[in-house]
Amino acid sequence: MKFGGTSVADTDRILHVAKLVKKKFDENNKVIVIVSAMAGVTNDLVQKSKKISENFPADEYDALLSSGEQVTSTLLSAALQDLGIKSRSWLGWQIPIVTDGDHKNSRIVSVNSKILNDCLDQNIIPVIPGFQGLSQENRITTIGRGGSDASAVAVAKCVDADFCEIYTDVDGVFTTNPDIESKAKKIDKISYEEMLEMASLGAKVMQSSSVQTAMINDVEIYVKSTFTNNPGTQILSEDKISYENVITGVAYSKDDAKITLQGVKDKPGVASKIFKPLFDNNIVVDMIVQNISADNKKTDVTFTIKRDDLKKTKSLMEVLKSELEYDSILADDQVSKVSIVGAGMITHPGVAYKMFNALSSKNINIQVISTSEIKISVLVDEKNTKEAVQVIHQVFELDK
Ligand code: ASP
Ligand code: MG
């Protein structure tokens, strides 16, 4: 059972969480608990570090940030003991949860199961702070913001848990953001692949890398609310889901920007010249469109990058102007990417048509299209985002 920051936001909530854990334990489960820091605490620690120094050492930063989870793990363990349950907190280094890579963004490489299994054998509930680990150099590390999900999946994997429950402040994963479409429905079952697409496209219920780890290790996940009794959303492998709906969800993101090079020569080597400086500068490219030229001489190339990278990308392209001899460059950050996700589309024809027709019924222009086996994304004017999501949601009957 993993509890996120809002679930342990204050002592009353921690007392409530203790009751949920006790209930699960009383139902004859062996339980390990992973906790986040109280909501806001990690951000607060980041602010404090900035006030001390602009160049706060990364190793001290990790030791600082990891402290939030230490607090909640001890409070919850004590609350459980008060309910008559044997429990103790274990810090990441005591287990140990071993990590690799840079400070602030380490990766869990192993979790020693010995202590955890011993606890389970003796009916002791271990409460483990998420987000923290120990480097091979014996230093405290953290594994990236929102990393407690990854801690939970890693622990579930190491003890070969039957499932990993992620408790949060929403009822589960929704067909789209309920804030922009009130008819959004909770999804009962979603595959790892679909969840990864939804997460990377802006549905931020779980940290993406933790879903990836769960997928690789076949750890079954339930996302559910700490504050209601709803069954939540199950994340599992595709072959365990029978798809009634053509698509599973509609996602959108407003983090993208679009660049178009007009009048690029249509000859070998041009695309590679355009994208090399982006690679050299660590800029991730998402959608790419290049048309066939009508006269075999010139064509347009459009691609999208993260909005934060727009300025840099534009200046890198301007440097190429004399070499590539393109006519002009257009940059636009008022765009949003709207996507439909669903393994059901693999076997259903006409999905793209249905999506494009829905957009056309609202007179929404599609700027760029990209697809994968389980996803179709379109780039639209940012001001059309809400209307696009709503009409697509309705046309695919996701509210039913
Ligand atoms: N407390 C950490 C953060 O806010 C880790 C987590 O909550 O998952 O990023
Ligand atoms: Mg969190």
Side-chain angles (χ1 to χ4, degrees):
M1 301 174 84
K2 179 259 169 178
F3 294 91
T6 48
S7 302
V8 292
D10 55 39
T11 46
D12 281 341
R13 290 193 178 176
I14 290 175
L15 292 169
H16 171 69
V17 163
K19 285 185 201 143
L20 294 184
V21 175
K22 177 177 180 341
K23 182 159 178 284
K24 187 91 1 179
F25 180 77
D26 288 345
E27 288 163 0
N28 261 324
N29 295 295
K30 291 193 182 292
V31 183
I32 299 174
V33 182
I34 290 91
V35 285
S36 282
M38 291 181 179
V41 165
T42 312
N43 285 342
D44 190 45
L45 293 168
V46 172
Q47 292 313 319
K48 287 196 170 84
S49 76
K50 286 188 179 149
K51 283 190 185 140
I52 292 292
S53 165
E54 285 293 323
N55 305 306
F56 206 90
D59 47 0
E60 299 301 347
Y61 182 90
D62 275 359
L64 173 69
L65 257 62
S66 68
S67 66
E69 273 77 6
Q70 175 164 347
V71 172
T72 45
S73 62
T74 61
L75 293 174
L76 182 58
S77 172
L80 285 168
Q81 293 178 46
D82 238 22
L83 296 177
I85 288 182
K86 288 191 279 182
S87 171
R88 73 157 275 190
S89 62
W90 291 95
L91 295 179
W93 62 268
Q94 292 175 304
I95 295 175
I97 295 175
V98 180
T99 66
D100 201 6
D102 295 339
H103 276 285
K104 299 184 175 180
N105 221 344
S106 296
R107 196 166 31 87
I108 297 177
V109 288
S110 69
V111 180
N112 187 341
S113 60
K114 168 98 178 57
I115 284 173
L116 301 177
N117 281 323
D118 286 350
C119 283
L120 295 179
D121 287 345
Q122 297 165 56
N123 281 322
I124 300 169
I125 298 186
V127 184
I128 304 172
F131 183 50
Q132 57 173 252
L134 181 71
S135 73
Q136 262 100 317
E137 291 75 40
N138 219 21
R139 299 300 308 257
I140 305 290
T141 52
T142 61
I143 58 171
R145 296 302 307 272
S148 294
D149 289 337
S151 306
V153 171
V155 167
K157 174 196 152 198
C158 106
V159 296
D160 201 12
D162 294 322
F163 45 87
C164 173
E165 294 184 327
I166 304 285
Y167 286 85
T168 177
D169 51 7
V170 291
D171 276 339
V173 183
F174 280 74
T175 50
T176 195
N177 181 354
D179 292 339
I180 80 163
E181 171 52 273
S182 56
K183 294 192 190 110
K185 277 185 69 181
K186 184 182 69 70
I187 299 168
D188 294 333
K189 288 182 182 184
I190 187 169
S191 71
Y192 299 113
E193 288 86 353
E194 290 172 318
M195 186 62 206
L196 277 171
E197 291 288 3
M198 293 287 281
S200 67
L201 297 170
K204 294 184 181 68
V205 188
M206 262 188 91
Q207 193 207 31
S208 305
S209 70
S210 64
V211 179
Q212 217 157 2
T213 312
M215 175 168 80
I216 293 164
N217 298 290
D218 214 4
V219 175
E220 237 168 82
I221 294 176
Y222 287 82
V223 178
K224 48 170 88 179
S225 168
T226 303
F227 309 109
T228 68
N229 265 326
N230 288 341
T233 298
Q234 201 179 351
I235 310 174
L236 68 180
S237 76
E238 199 179 295
D239 51 16
K240 294 184 184 146
I241 304 177
S242 61
Y243 284 96
E244 282 147 30
N245 288 341
V246 181
I247 70 164
T248 306
V250 185
Y252 64 92
S253 88
K254 297 183 177 179
D255 315 325
D256 306 84
K258 180 185 71 169
I259 296 254
T260 301
L261 300 180
Q262 290 183 310
V264 180
K265 285 206 180 109
D266 191 10
K267 62 170 198 199
V270 170
S272 112
K273 285 209 180 86
I274 295 172
F275 292 104
K276 168 127 195 330
L278 302 181
F279 162 65
D280 290 340
N281 285 278
N282 245 326
I283 293 171
V284 177
V285 179
D286 181 18
M287 307 165 108
I288 303 174
V289 184
Q290 186 202 303
N291 224 320
I292 302 168
S293 56
D295 54 4
N296 276 324
K297 289 194 189 113
K298 286 195 161 187
T299 182
D300 297 343
V301 174
T302 299
F303 57 91
T304 65
I305 63 254
K306 288 277 161 248
R307 217 171 261 191
D308 291 344
D309 292 328
L310 181 63
K311 240 175 126 182
K312 181 92 184 266
T313 307
K314 195 167 173 224
S315 60
L316 290 169
M317 291 300 117
E318 276 157 359
V319 172
L320 288 177
K321 184 150 180 30
S322 54
E323 192 188 345
L324 286 180
E325 298 173 42
Y326 60 78
D327 298 336
S328 59
I329 178 167
L330 306 173
D332 184 1
D333 62 357
Q334 303 295 304
V335 291
S336 92
K337 184 169 67 170
V338 177
S339 311
I340 55 176
V341 173
M345 72 174 72
I346 299 172
T347 50
H348 285 82
V351 180
Y353 162 70
K354 206 166 169 178
M355 179 188 195
F356 301 160
N357 197 40
L359 294 168
S360 116
S361 76
K362 295 284 175 192
N363 217 5
I364 297 171
N365 189 38
I366 301 171
Q367 304 179 4
V368 184
I369 303 168
S370 76
T371 66
S372 79
E373 198 176 29
I374 62 162
K375 178 196 82 174
I376 301 173
S377 299
V378 297
L379 207 65
V380 298
D381 191 322
E382 188 181 336
K383 68 176 192 296
N384 296 133
T385 313
K386 186 172 177 174
E387 204 178 14
V389 170
Q390 287 175 335
V391 70
I392 294 169
H393 196 269
Q394 183 198 339
V395 161
F396 285 97
E397 301 187 341
L398 288 175
D399 50 340
K400 299 268 156 68

